[in-house]
């Protein structure tokens, strides 16, 4: 029991700013204020630092930038290597493991030790790694680093412990898999080719042992040279010199023929009886032209030659299409007999592999499927059916179907929501898949005991929303909806729509979901909000639209003729609510000009006709912000919806709007400054704008040019690249002075960061509304390609000087606020993603706080909103519905509301809001609100119990709204009325006692960085504050005392993609978009880390290796001595000696030399190990029994002979012997 004695200072009448005071900095725990306390608050905090541990749990999605593919035909597991050094190992659904090479080097090739529970990876840093798969989290046992040669190709024969490694120099080395050391046996390139050859054969591109004789190694060189090397005789059996470069080689199972693919699009078939010329040459896609010449074709990158018992062999290859047919998609060609089938792919083919029934290369292969690894997808084709259908992929490989722009994570959802979403989503599934089971079915996975319903929501650039079932560390898509169906499709040549065509105006920026009421709200990049209700019935609905004018008018901007000392804005009054299709907005002078400046129109057109909507989420209301005097609406930065109140609130950098979605009216729409009333805590000075400055609205809502950006392509962030914003104001001015032209609007400067031209004049702070942005030029669209959170790989510049620009610029990136920008034509800096930039340019903000740098701000954005039962004023006795508003200047505003309680009155009487509520202050932009009762328990916001509005009417039952309230006064027996308010900003966290507004605790979270994401979450039957900082630290603080519980430097290289998609949830879990195509889930709970081994799947299961077919006497006699080849005699140290130490360096792995024998942890692993031990024990007992029986037989025989000898010699005298 820990007691906190705090102040309920209701006797003083000091201002809110004085009430909070200045907290002590660098406190190790929450710092209490020093005021007298008439009451005592007892809160028992149960969380300690031992309850927290940070670790990765599972990664979902498609491996980003794949490079390699491997398959174990016995274990039936698949491995995919990536350019970033990652390895994904997949089995049956639930068996999904991610491994990462510490070097981060690209994976060149993967080789399974078939049915051995191990994997060999060859990386671009010329290192071989041996992974142990007999544990739930694979570990590296050995590594071998080549120092003088570069690895190009590896081959591991089935049931062999010797790995062949080809290099760029053309040499072939041999590695012992058990010890991971090089053998002294080396096949040098100059020994493999003829001495008369004058040119180097090139790198080794293929290695394989002959199916007929394992002592023969086929070596393919890039130049077209093929050598069969006799490993015993250490000489070449034959050499083939072909004119075209070789890409791959594939054997016929009998070992008498092999097929090669070449760079000219040809396939050559070679017979070992005559290697002087190819037995057959074909150009599968090369047609003969009119001049009798064949079409030039692209290279065939890989070919597989597989035989069947009852049909013609399969020849499957990638590439080889004609160059003449431009625009053709990548294709996989399947040749079966005379039938040629071309399967066109959506993305380039990285690798493919044919799955066969047998692991032996000298048996009839019987292929049944082909795995095709594409650049952005994984498909498996069924070869057993003539139409070659694809298998339905059970893995969530389509997360990136459209670029992910936002995420949300909900743990411990209502148990009925997942089955309902799944039943509705199942009706829209695609058909035409193969009816057979998914062939990658290895491993074992069981549903753990520590599971609860979890849902992940992803928003995408095309306006689609996907709901995913994330229970039990798996991921399965439940339901998909498209928000673009609410709007009319933009058509070319229709005014405003012409500017938006071929862009992404529907991209999702933010989502808000209440699982209890099933209300769902979406914020789009076109400054639009869509409210959805859930229904199990289809309906014909008329979409209601509201248009809101939330932007400063032109009369708020000073004209050039005014004096410099005049205010730069005139305080606008709150706009009257604008219902649907009413456009009587207060038009500003000059809002319509001969140039066709846009005013009072939305960015998108809502469908004005009744539409048929299927079961699921159905749109009820669309809210759109309007253009004002040629300026596009600023993007929405904050959103909250409350189903019990029937209200929806949102804000941007101009102000706040509240909508009553039950009455379909706007009840509040005013600027941030007007929300203060007489309680404005700042002494705001005015400033006159300057001339000869550049335009600031050119990049108001700029997005990335495309989703998958090339590493050499210049890319920009969606709202003005932050690398143009430095804290050194002089450098900004120098950058502007380089501009060849200057942009004027109505004769005055429009740059909010402008400084006086004369160096002697002091810089005067500006009001929060600031000057309006410049008008957009004719024909320029307000939106470019939608900002994808998946492709924000631009790091931010490190701030080396004190200032405010970079910190404020980061807020723009996170919340879509456009405050500063440069004109597109004047920008002189280009940006590209590279390793160097990723390490040198990490997130940063200036050390100055928002309060101390208030004079540098031009607008005050609404950054967070929260509805709840609270006390809007100090003298309130009972809690009332309130709206908590947090701004980018660290100000917290409380707006009390009066909501009719009767259902009939609620639909008719207006909701009133008093904007002169309490004001609290923190350092930095406010990020999160949460409420606790005086016992430290979390107070949930009130909600309306879900009811289906489209359900058939029941005349006997009156349909009424059922509301669930969590009043702060319901559990206040110990401490009376009141509750605790937890407020977290980008710099610090504070706990206030309401209604006195006393600051009980304050903790400065960070001084050198800033918080990107903060959430109050439940962990271990208690609550804590979880924070993710820009420097990569993940922290947790106790509540309400704000004691640091955990601080882990998790992501030192943070970028915008992670910043915009990081999301904490209950149960000690979080997620973020680790790459443009993958979602990484992590846990910060010690309990879940302890149970993680049980939740993960087993990669390796003990399976008996299939026996080789009986070859028969004649085949064995005439087929050579394939089974008498002993590699140990040739490659062992006794015969071949040791390799040069300088050639390669052995690096022991985490598992050590005995790592392969270390059994997997967890229950399943223990059982598997026990089963193996029992088998071995039974085998040994059987051998012991046989030996015992043999000894008994021998003893009986000895006893018998001894008895006979005794009888024989019994009566003899000594002299008779």
């Amino acid at each position: 029991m820990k007691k906190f004695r705090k102040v309920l200072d209701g006797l003083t009448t000091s201002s809110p700013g004085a009430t909070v005071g200045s907290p002590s900095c660098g406190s190790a725990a929450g710092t209490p204020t020093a005021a007298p306390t008439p009451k005592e608050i007892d809160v028992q905090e149960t969380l300690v630092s031992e309850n927290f541990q940070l670790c990765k749990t599972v990664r979902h999605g498609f491996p980003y930038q794949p490079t390699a593919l491997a398959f174990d035909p016995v274990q039936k597991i698949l491995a995919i290597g990536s350019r970033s050094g990652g390895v994904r190992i997949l089995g049956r659904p639930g068996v999904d493991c991610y491994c990462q090479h510490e070097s981060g080097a690209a994976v060149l090739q993967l080789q399974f030790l078939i049915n051995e529970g191990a994997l060999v990876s060859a990386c671009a840093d010329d290192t071989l790694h041996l992974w142990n798969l007999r544990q739930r989290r694979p570990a590296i046992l050995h590594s071998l680093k080549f120092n003088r040669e570069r690895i190009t190709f590896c081959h591991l024969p089935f049931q062999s412990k010797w790995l062949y490694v080809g290099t760029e120099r053309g040499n072939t080395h041999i590695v012992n898999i058990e010890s991971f050391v090089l053998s002294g046996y080396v096949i040098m390139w100059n020994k493999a080719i003829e001495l008369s050859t004058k040119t180097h054969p090139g790198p080794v591109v293929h290695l394989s042992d002959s199916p007929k004789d394992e002592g023969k190694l086929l070596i393919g060189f890039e130049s077209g040279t093929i050598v069969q090397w006799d490993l015993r005789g250490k000489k070449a059996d034959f050499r083939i010199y072909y004119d075209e470069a070789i890409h791959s080689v594939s054997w016929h199972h009998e070992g008498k023929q092999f097929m090669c693919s070449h760079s000219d699009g040809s396939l050559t078939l070679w017979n070992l009886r005559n290697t002087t010329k190819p037995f057959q040459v074909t150009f599968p896609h090369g047609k003969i032209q009119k001049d009798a010449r064949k079409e030039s074709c692209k290279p065939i990158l890989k070919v597989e030659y597989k035989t069947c018992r009852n049909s013609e062999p399969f020849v499957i290859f990638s590439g080889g299409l004609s160059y003449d047919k431009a625009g053709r998609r990548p294709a996989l060609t399947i040749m079966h007999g005379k039938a040629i089938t071309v399967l066109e792919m959506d993305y380039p083919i990285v690798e493919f592999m044919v799955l066969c029934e047998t692991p032996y290369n000298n048996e009839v292969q019987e292929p049944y499927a082909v795995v095709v690894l594409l650049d952005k997808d994984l498909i498996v084709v069924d070869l057993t059916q003539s139409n070659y259908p694809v298998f339905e992929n059970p893995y969530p490989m389509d997360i990136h179907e459209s670029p992910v722009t936002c995420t949300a994570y909900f743990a411990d959802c209502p148990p009925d929501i997942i089955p309902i979403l799944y039943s509705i989503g199942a009706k829209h599934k695609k058909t035409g898949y193969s009816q057979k089971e998914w062939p990658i079915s290895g491993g074992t996975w069981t549903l753990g005991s520590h599971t609860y319903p979890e849902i992940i929501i992803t928003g995408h650039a095309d306006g689609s929303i996907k709901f995913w079932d994330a229970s039990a560390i798996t991921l399965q898509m439940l339901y998909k909806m498209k928000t673009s169906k609410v709007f009319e499709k933009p058509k070319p040549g229709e005014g405003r729509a012409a500017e938006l065509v071929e862009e992404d105006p529907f991209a999702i920026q933010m989502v808000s979901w209440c699982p209890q009421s099933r209300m769902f709200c979406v914020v789009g990049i076109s400054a639009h909000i869509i409210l959805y209700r859930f229904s199990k019935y289809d309906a014909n609905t008329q979409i209601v639209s509201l248009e809101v004018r939330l932007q400063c008018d032109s009369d708020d901007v000073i004209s050039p003729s005014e004096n410099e000392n005049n205010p730069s804005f005139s305080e606008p009054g709150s706009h009257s609510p604008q219902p649907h299709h009413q456009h009587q907005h207060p038009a500003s002078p000059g809002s319509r000009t001969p140039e066709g400046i846009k005013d009072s129109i939305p960015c998108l057109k809502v469908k004005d006709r009744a539409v048929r909507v299927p079961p699921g989420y159905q749109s009820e209301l669309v809210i759109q912000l309007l253009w004002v005097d040629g300026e596009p609406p600023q993007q929405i930065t904050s959103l909250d919806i409350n189903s019990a109140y029937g209200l929806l609130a949102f804000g941007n950098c101009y102000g706040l709007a509240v909508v009553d979605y039950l009455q379909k009216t706007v009840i509040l729409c005013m600027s941030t400054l007007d929300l203060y009333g007489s309680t404005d805590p700042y002494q705001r000075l005015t400033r006159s704008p300057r001339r000869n400055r550049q335009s600031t609205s050119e990049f108001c809502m700029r997005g990335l040019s495309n989703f998958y950006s090339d590493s050499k392509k210049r890319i920009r962030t969606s709202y003005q690249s932050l690398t143009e914003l430095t804290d050194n104001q002089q450098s900004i001015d120098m950058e502007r002075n380089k501009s060849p032209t200057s942009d004027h609007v109505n004769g005055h400067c429009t740059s909010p960061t402008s400084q006086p031209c004369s160096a002697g004049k002091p810089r005067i702070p500006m009001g929060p509304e600031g000057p309006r942005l410049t008008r957009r030029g004719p024909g320029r669209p307000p939106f470019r390609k939608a900002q994808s959170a998946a492709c924000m790989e631009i790091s931010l510049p490190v701030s080396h000087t004190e200032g405010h620009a970079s910190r404020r610029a980061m807020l723009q990136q996170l919340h879509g606020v456009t405050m500063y920008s440069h004109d597109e034509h004047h920008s002189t800096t280009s940006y590209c993603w590279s390793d160097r930039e990723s390490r040198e340019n990490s997130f940063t903000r200036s050390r100055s706080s928002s309060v101390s740098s208030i004079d540098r701000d031009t607008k005050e954005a609404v950054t967070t909103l929260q509805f709840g039962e609270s006390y809007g004023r100090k003298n309130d006795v009972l809690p009332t519905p309130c709206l908590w508003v947090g701004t980018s200047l660290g100000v917290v505003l409380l707006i009390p509301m009066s909501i009719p309680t009767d259902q009939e009155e609620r639909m008719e009487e207006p909701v009133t809001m008093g904007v002169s509520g309490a004001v609290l202050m923190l350092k930095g932009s406010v990020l999160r609100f949460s409420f606790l009762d005086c016992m430290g328990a979390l107070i949930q916001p009130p909600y309306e119990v879900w009811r289906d509005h489209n359900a058939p009417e029941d005349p006997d039952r009156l349909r009424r709204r059922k509301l669930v309230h969590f009043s702060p006064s319901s559990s206040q027996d110990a401490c009376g009325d009141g509750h605790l308010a937890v407020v977290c900003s980008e710099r610090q966290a504070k706990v206030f006692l309401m209604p006195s507004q006393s600051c009980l605790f304050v903790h400065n979270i960070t001084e050198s960085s800033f918080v990107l994401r903060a959430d109050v979450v439940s962990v271990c039957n208690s609550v804590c504050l979880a924070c993710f900082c820009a420097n990569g630290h993940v922290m947790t603080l106790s509540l309400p005392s704000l004691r640091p519980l955990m601080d882990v430097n998790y992501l030192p290289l943070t970028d915008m993609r992670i910043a915009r998609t990081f999301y904490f949830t209950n149960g000690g879990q979080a997620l973020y978009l680790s790459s443009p195509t993958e979602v990484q889930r992590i846990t910060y709970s010690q309990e879940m880390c302890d149970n993680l081994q049980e939740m993960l799947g087993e990669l390796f299961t003990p399976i008996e290796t299939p026996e080789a077919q009986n070859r028969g006497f004649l085949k064995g006699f005439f087929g050579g001595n394939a089974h008498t080849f002993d590699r140990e005699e040739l490659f062992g140290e006794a015969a071949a000696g040791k390799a040069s130490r300088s050639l390669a360096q052995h690096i022991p792995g985490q598992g050590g030399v005995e790592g392969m024998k270390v059994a997997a942890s967890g229950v399943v692993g223990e059982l598997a190990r026990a089963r193996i031990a029992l088998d071995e024990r039974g085998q040994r007992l059987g051998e012991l029994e046989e030996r015992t029986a043999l000894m008994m037989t021998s003893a009986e025989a000895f006893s018998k002979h001894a008895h006979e000898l005794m009888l024989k010699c019994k009566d003899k005298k000594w002299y008779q012997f």
Side-chain angles (χ1 to χ4, degrees), residues 65 120 160 215 244 315 471 565 680 699 792 844 923 1015 1042 1050 1117 1182 1198:
Q65 294 179 331
V120 175
S160 169
E244 294 296 334
V315 176
S471 308
N565 294 326
D680 192 346
F699 289 154
M792 298 182 195
T844 182
K923 287 183 181 179
D1015 289 291
L1042 298 177
Y1050 174 64
F1117 185 78
F1198 178 78

Side-chain angles (χ1 to χ4, degrees), residues 731-770:
S731 64
I732 296 179
D733 278 356
M734 291 177 63
E735 178 72 15
R736 288 174 182 157
N737 292 336
K738 294 178 183 178
S739 172
T741 61
S742 58
D743 195 0
H744 302 271
V745 177
N746 296 335
H748 64 82
C749 165
T750 56
S751 174
T753 59
S754 310
Q755 286 190 340
C757 296
S758 58
K761 293 185 179 181
R763 187 162 180 259
I764 303 173
M766 192 174 217
E769 285 302 304

Side-chain angles (χ1 to χ4, degrees), residues 463 483-484 486-487 504-510 521-532 546 602-604 606 621-625 633-636 639 650 783:
T483 61
S484 59
V486 175
F487 303 99
D504 288 324
F506 311 113
I508 306 301
Q509 192 176 359
M510 196 183 309
C521 201
V522 172
V523 174
I525 199 172
S526 299
H528 65 272
I529 300 173
I530 309 175
L531 179 64
Y532 290 90
L546 288 178
C603 298
L604 301 172
V606 180
L621 178 65
V622 178
I623 305 169
Q624 294 189 86
L625 298 186
Q634 291 289 324
Q635 292 184 5
I636 295 166
L639 171 74
F650 62 94
F783 308 106

Side-chain angles (χ1 to χ4, degrees), residues 330-561:
L332 182 79
T333 304
I334 302 175
M335 299 172 61
H336 189 209
K338 296 182 180 180
I340 300 179
T341 305
V342 179
L343 305 178
E344 291 190 340
M345 305 295 171
D346 293 331
Y347 307 105
I349 298 175
V350 176
E351 174 72 286
F352 75 90
M353 183 166 289
V354 179
L355 309 186
C356 301
E357 296 288 352
T358 176
Y360 297 93
N361 63 347
N362 57 356
E363 297 179 357
V364 179
Q365 299 296 288
E366 291 292 341
Y368 60 89
V370 54
V371 180
V372 188
L373 178 63
L374 306 178
D375 190 42
K376 298 169 188 175
D377 200 2
L378 175 73
I379 65 172
V380 181
V381 181
D382 187 357
L383 295 180
T384 61
Q385 301 183 42
S386 58
N387 59 340
Y388 302 127
V390 298
F391 290 89
E392 184 176 6
N393 196 328
Y395 314 127
M397 293 288 187
D398 57 346
I399 292 177
H400 63 287
E401 184 179 15
S402 176
V404 179
T405 53
C406 73
T407 59
Y409 191 9
F410 300 89
D412 206 7
C413 299
D416 59 336
I417 190 69
I418 290 180
I420 290 177
L421 288 174
Y422 181 79
S423 62
I424 293 178
K427 300 176 182 178
H428 305 284
K429 280 193 173 183
K430 297 180 181 178
T431 57
Y433 294 110
S434 173
Q435 299 300 316
K436 295 191 174 182
E437 293 186 0
W438 181 251
I440 306 167
S441 57
T444 56
W445 179 77
T446 56
L447 191 65
S449 58
H450 300 272
T451 59
Y452 42 82
E454 300 174 68
I455 287 182
I456 294 174
I457 301 176
T458 56
H460 301 265
D462 62 353
S464 61
I465 300 284
K466 293 181 180 179
F467 289 77
W468 305 84
D469 178 11
S471 308
I473 71 170
T474 60
L475 197 69
Q476 181 182 12
M477 195 171 78
L478 295 173
Y479 174 70
K480 179 181 178 181
M481 55 186 288
K482 296 182 179 179
T483 61
S484 59
K485 291 184 176 181
V486 175
F487 303 99
E488 300 284 357
K489 292 183 179 180
K491 297 180 181 179
E494 292 187 0
R496 173 190 60 197
E499 300 176 357
L500 298 176
V501 72
E502 296 182 355
E503 307 298 340
D504 288 324
F506 311 113
I508 306 301
Q509 192 176 359
M510 196 183 309
V511 296
S512 178
W513 186 47
C514 177
Q516 288 78 17
S517 64
R518 302 183 189 175
M519 297 294 294
F520 187 60
C521 201
V522 172
V523 174
I525 199 172
S526 299
H528 65 272
I529 300 173
I530 309 175
L531 179 64
Y532 290 90
R533 283 187 184 271
F534 186 83
S535 176
K536 294 189 291 185
Y537 305 92
D538 56 359
N540 288 318
T541 60
Q542 179 77 34
I543 303 173
V544 181
S545 175
L546 288 178
E547 297 174 354
V548 179
R549 185 184 180 96
L550 188 60
Q551 196 154 347
C552 64
D553 295 329
S554 61
D555 56 0
D556 298 331
V557 184
I558 190 170
S559 66
S561 61

Side-chain angles (χ1 to χ4, degrees), residues 65-76:
Q65 294 179 331
T67 55
L69 183 69
F71 182 72
D72 188 326
V74 179
Q75 289 289 322
K76 294 190 182 301

Side-chain angles (χ1 to χ4, degrees), residues 190-198 239 241:
N190 54 355
K191 301 291 185 182
I193 64 173
E194 291 180 344
L195 297 178
S196 59
T197 306
K198 298 181 180 180
R239 299 178 178 91
Y241 299 97

Side-chain angles (χ1 to χ4, degrees), residues 603-621:
C603 298
L604 301 172
K605 184 180 179 182
V606 180
K607 292 180 178 178
D608 55 0
R609 62 185 183 277
V611 293
R612 184 82 174 175
V613 289
Y617 275 103
Q618 301 168 353
S619 58
E620 177 170 312
L621 178 65

